[in-house]
Amino acid sequence: MPNENSYEVALQKSNAIREGLAKTPEKFTMLTGDRPTGRLHLGHYFGTLKGRVELQNMGAKTNVLIADYQVITDRDTTEHIQDNVYNMVMDYLACGIDPDKTMIYAHSAVPAANQLMLPFLSLVSEAELARNPTVKAEMEASGHELTGLLLTYPVHQACDILFCKGNVVPVGRDQLPHIELTRTIARRFNNRYGKVFPEVDALLSETPLLPGLDGRKMSKSYGNSIALGEEMDELRPKIQNMLTDPKRARRKDPGDPATCNLFPYHQLLSSQQTCEEITAGCTTASIGCFDCKKLLIDALDCFLQPMRERRRALEADPERLRAILEDGNRKARAEAEQTMADVRKRLLTTFANTHSLALQQTMFAMGEAMIAEQPEPLVVRLPGAPDRRWRIAAAHGDCLWVEYGSGTTVHRILIDGGPAHTYPALRERIATLAEHIDAHR
């Protein structure tokens, strides 16, 4: 009999989830996400993005995390991270993720979710973390030593999944150890402190792994990927230089699509009839690799064109992108605060907040109301500086974030007790604080 953590058992559970989604999608909460280390590619689309859109449209509660904090797990810089985050939002929307149905949020904007790390770390041993095969693979791929952050990366992922009480995560087979550890953490917390978190299971991808242009796993770090929305002048030379069946050294040599790097792309992008014609032509050498590549270029162009058009429209409207991310961040903060309230109650650590919990809730509600009902942007005049049009961006507890700027260049100030201020008083607070910072940095 297979053990609980075997692939066979995970596959059985995954099939049961698919049956359940078809009948009662509202019972499922999905969490998945990506690190903003560069543009998303075709491997991401067929591996997970396509499935996210399907779950969203079926009616499951879907949440997508942009794991900007986790970029530093195996990188020494956060250069270009803001551009990468907004490009990721554009890719999500271009693929069909609907922000009215799916919560899209940034890791760094939800501090309460990271507070789960402390209790969760107390529930796992160093040996359990060290033998996680994904951690080992990430360490080898990055060339970094085993830092504390990399070692605890699976616990970070457990926090991401459980803060919104997710019970299903779309993954490939290689990510199963992460799901197993998340399930273990949830069980141990529930057994030790009382029920807070659901059982988590993997929804295994049914799409075969899409190889990169050179036959290895498609990866941004390998430089062998095709970005979503990639233009034809970049796409064509990539396909023309792709590796094909090694048996076909000459045009007249028959080949085998099963060993050709092009054929998995055709299976996903071309019609069944085209795939059958390619198989017959390749095995008899009646068509060459050049012909096969031309067909693939046409299929890719047809597939990517709608994404290109949607991305162009989004690029022309950066304010919409920022508003979508802010709205998702606000919703995620509310969920994280509620989960942490449940956790504190079970840990018996609510004493520090009992005298102020009602006040915090009131201030949070007031802050949300100020965001929804704020008048025109607050114009603040500072000596020797141009007028700046500030807006209330977010509420967190008894604080407000106010900001000015647009697109990916935004400057923020935190106002303590913000929701208690009238708008004239808030304008004075902004002016006073802004005089003491270099808001143009």
Side-chain angles (χ1 to χ4, degrees):
M1 182 176 180
N3 68 58
E4 181 190 18
N5 292 335
S6 71
Y7 176 72
E8 291 75 15
V9 170
L11 185 58
Q12 290 173 7
K13 289 181 178 179
S14 178
N15 292 336
I17 289 171
R18 290 191 185 281
E19 292 178 5
L21 281 164
K23 298 174 183 176
T24 54
E26 67 280 359
K27 291 184 178 180
F28 296 90
T29 297
M30 177 209 77
L31 186 286
T32 186
D34 307 279
R35 293 195 304 161
T37 55
R39 287 286 303 277
L40 297 178
H41 53 64
L42 279 180
H44 291 123
Y45 178 82
F46 288 109
T48 180
L49 294 172
K50 184 171 178 282
R52 296 176 196 179
V53 175
E54 290 170 353
L55 286 174
Q56 163 195 279
N57 294 338
M58 290 174 74
K61 182 181 178 182
T62 47
N63 307 285
V64 177
L65 161 69
I66 299 176
D68 53 346
Y69 260 174
Q70 293 176 0
V71 167
I72 59 174
T73 302
D74 58 359
R75 283 168 170 75
D76 300 325
T77 178
T78 56
E79 188 180 8
H80 307 307
I81 193 167
Q82 285 202 1
D83 286 342
N84 289 343
V85 166
Y86 283 100
N87 268 302
M88 190 161 280
V89 176
M90 283 191 281
D91 282 337
Y92 288 158
L93 302 183
C95 288
I97 292 177
D98 183 348
D100 292 331
K101 298 177 181 178
T102 295
M103 183 173 75
I104 304 171
Y105 67 98
H107 201 175
S108 60
V110 192
N114 292 315
Q115 292 180 36
L116 289 171
M117 274 295 289
L118 189 60
F120 283 6
L121 282 171
S122 74
L123 299 169
V124 293
S125 68
E126 181 185 3
E128 285 175 311
L129 296 174
R131 66 171 174 257
N132 187 298
T134 310
V135 169
K136 294 178 182 178
E138 291 286 346
M139 183 177 65
E140 292 171 0
S142 68
H144 279 60
E145 62 181 349
L146 185 59
T147 64
L149 185 56
L150 186 55
L151 180 66
T152 58
Y153 184 57
V155 185
H156 280 272
Q157 289 198 322
C159 296
D160 299 337
I161 295 165
L162 294 173
F163 100 91
C164 65
K165 299 185 178 177
N167 58 6
V168 61
V169 184
V171 294
R173 183 172 183 169
D174 61 331
Q175 291 289 311
L176 280 176
H178 284 316
I179 306 304
E180 291 160 7
L181 186 64
T182 298
R183 188 187 303 114
T184 296
I185 289 171
R187 284 181 180 174
R188 288 175 181 171
F189 186 98
N190 293 341
N191 290 338
R192 183 178 297 182
Y193 301 111
K195 175 76 178 210
V196 172
F197 300 109
E199 288 277 314
V200 182
D201 286 306
L203 183 64
L204 291 166
S205 173
E206 297 180 319
T207 304
L209 186 67
L210 187 66
L213 299 170
D214 56 2
R216 295 182 293 174
K217 176 184 176 181
M218 187 176 287
S219 171
K220 292 170 283 190
S221 59
Y222 291 156
N224 64 355
S225 60
I226 297 172
L228 298 178
E230 192 157 310
E231 298 292 343
M232 277 298 291
D233 58 348
E234 300 170 308
L235 179 65
R236 185 176 287 105
K238 285 186 175 182
I239 303 303
Q240 289 172 340
N241 292 321
M242 276 183 72
L243 295 175
T244 55
D245 185 356
K247 298 186 186 74
R248 301 203 69 180
R250 295 180 296 273
R251 169 66 175 77
K252 63 181 181 180
D253 294 335
D256 180 3
T259 59
C260 179
N261 201 35
L262 296 178
F263 199 61
Y265 289 79
H266 279 296
Q267 289 177 306
L268 293 170
L269 297 164
S270 300
S271 67
Q272 182 177 348
Q273 180 180 345
T274 299
C275 289
E276 291 172 354
E277 291 172 354
I278 288 171
T279 299
C282 180
T283 54
T284 60
S286 60
I287 65 169
C289 296
F290 177 83
D291 304 310
C292 194
K293 288 178 177 179
K294 186 177 184 304
L295 290 170
L296 180 56
I297 290 170
D298 293 341
L300 273 167
D301 186 37
C302 182
F303 175 76
L304 293 175
Q305 184 57 27
M307 293 186 192
R308 295 185 192 120
E309 293 174 358
R310 287 191 286 266
R311 275 191 61 93
R312 290 184 194 118
L314 291 163
E315 285 170 350
D317 192 1
E319 289 298 323
R320 182 188 173 205
L321 294 175
R322 189 162 63 91
I324 287 169
L325 193 55
E326 285 179 357
D327 185 58
N329 291 343
R330 177 180 58 81
K331 292 174 181 176
R333 281 192 294 268
E335 287 208 25
E337 290 288 355
Q338 182 57 59
T339 298
M340 281 308 302
D342 296 340
V343 168
R344 293 187 191 106
K345 182 178 178 181
R346 293 298 184 181
L347 293 174
L348 304 180
T349 57
T350 56
F351 63 88
N353 301 307
T354 52
H355 68 285
S356 61
L357 182 58
L359 176 62
Q360 287 181 12
Q361 291 174 338
T362 300
M363 297 293 271
F364 185 85
M366 290 173 65
E368 293 296 300
M370 289 185 79
I371 293 171
E373 299 172 9
Q374 63 183 303
E376 290 297 312
L378 300 164
V379 177
V380 177
R381 294 177 172 83
L382 298 177
D387 291 352
R388 294 173 185 145
R389 300 173 68 82
W390 293 81
R391 62 189 296 274
I392 303 166
H396 182 70
D398 62 349
C399 301
L400 285 178
W401 280 106
V402 293
E403 67 179 29
Y404 82 88
S406 62
T408 59
T409 305
V410 178
H411 305 282
R412 286 185 168 186
I413 295 178
L414 183 67
I415 308 291
D416 291 333
H421 289 293
T422 61
Y423 283 103
L426 186 60
R427 185 181 292 109
E428 288 185 17
R429 287 290 306 279
I430 294 170
T432 300
L433 288 170
E435 284 181 325
H436 299 288
I437 68 167
D438 179 9
H440 286 292
R441 284 184 301 174

